[in-house]
Each structure stands twice: as C-alpha cells, then as structure tokens.
C-alpha cells in the first residue's frame, strides 16, 4: 500500500549530478554496460545461445574490444574493482571464442590486442 502523505516526487530517490559521481564509479558502470551488451550479442542470455534473436558476433566483437580498451586504460584507477572487471572481460573473450564458427588463434580475438592472448 502506498503512503498518501508521500508525493511521487518524495518517493523517487534524487538524481545524482554527473559531477558528483566518482570516476571509478563512472568507469565501472560503463564497463558493466559493455559487458552486458556483449553478453547479449553473444547470446548468453538465451537458453540456447545459438538460437538467441539478439546474437550478433560482429557486434559482440566491437563491444568486447571497446571493453578491453577501457579496462586496459583504466585498470590503475579501478582499485579493488579491477580484478572482477578483468575476469568478466576474459569470460566474454572465451565465450566469444566458443561461439565463433572459426575461432581465431589466441592473441587475435576481440580485445586481445589490449589484453594479450586469452586461453
């Protein structure tokens, strides 16, 4: 039940100004968005990734490469978030390799020019 004394504006949390958000949070949010989009494009949200209507490995390659560039460029600023973000990137790179009909050699997959070979 809703409280009749609370107006909708009071119930909505205040929107934070972008200038107030720490850089590490902005970078981490961008990384999570890239990871989520890449996972969708690989088809990982579907029961059978090959049948996913969202599967598009060309798009996934672009997203993973962008993520790898962001992670590589910002790793020193991510502190304790760096490890989980790197792990997520590596998982996507491996999932991409598994989803590819003709997987590239290690070192030539999406983002590997930034991260090095993924095994």
């Amino acid at each position: 039940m809703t409280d009749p004394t609370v107006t909708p504006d009071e119930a909505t949390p205040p929107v934070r100004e972008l200038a107030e958000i720490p850089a590490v949070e902005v970078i981490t949010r961008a990384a999570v968005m890239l990871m989520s989009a890449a996972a969708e494009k690989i088809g990982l949200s579907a029961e059978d990734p090959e049948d996913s209507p969202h599967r598009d490995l060309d798009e996934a390659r672009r997203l993973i490469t962008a993520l790898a560039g962001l992670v590589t460029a910002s790793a020193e600023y991510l502190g304790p978030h760096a490890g989980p973000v790197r792990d997520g990137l590596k998982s996507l790179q491996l999932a991409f390799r598994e989803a590819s009909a003709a997987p590239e050699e290690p070192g030539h997959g999406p983002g590997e020019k930034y991260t090095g070979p993924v095994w």
Side-chain angles (χ1 to χ4, degrees):
M1 178 163 251
T2 59
D3 183 350
T5 61
V6 176
T7 65
D9 289 337
E10 293 171 341
T12 305
V15 176
R16 291 171 40 188
E17 292 295 323
L18 192 56
E20 296 172 2
I21 302 172
V24 66
E25 188 174 337
V26 174
I27 295 166
T28 304
R29 283 185 185 188
V32 168
M33 181 175 280
L34 288 166
M35 282 184 207
S36 298
E40 285 285 337
K41 297 295 183 179
I42 293 172
L44 297 179
S45 64
E47 199 169 304
D48 181 2
E50 291 184 25
D51 291 336
S52 172
H54 306 292
R55 187 173 176 134
D56 185 336
L57 295 181
D58 191 45
E59 287 285 302
R61 173 184 298 281
R62 292 177 183 136
L63 292 162
I64 293 168
T65 299
L67 175 61
L70 175 64
V71 170
T72 301
S74 61
E76 68 182 288
Y77 308 118
L78 293 176
H81 304 285
V85 172
R86 278 193 197 116
D87 291 345
L89 170 58
K90 183 176 181 177
S91 294
L92 288 168
Q93 289 171 312
L94 292 170
F96 182 91
R97 180 169 285 125
E98 288 178 17
S100 296
E104 292 102 344
E105 292 293 319
H108 298 283
E112 291 183 26
K113 69 181 179 182
Y114 300 113
T115 63
V118 175
W119 307 98

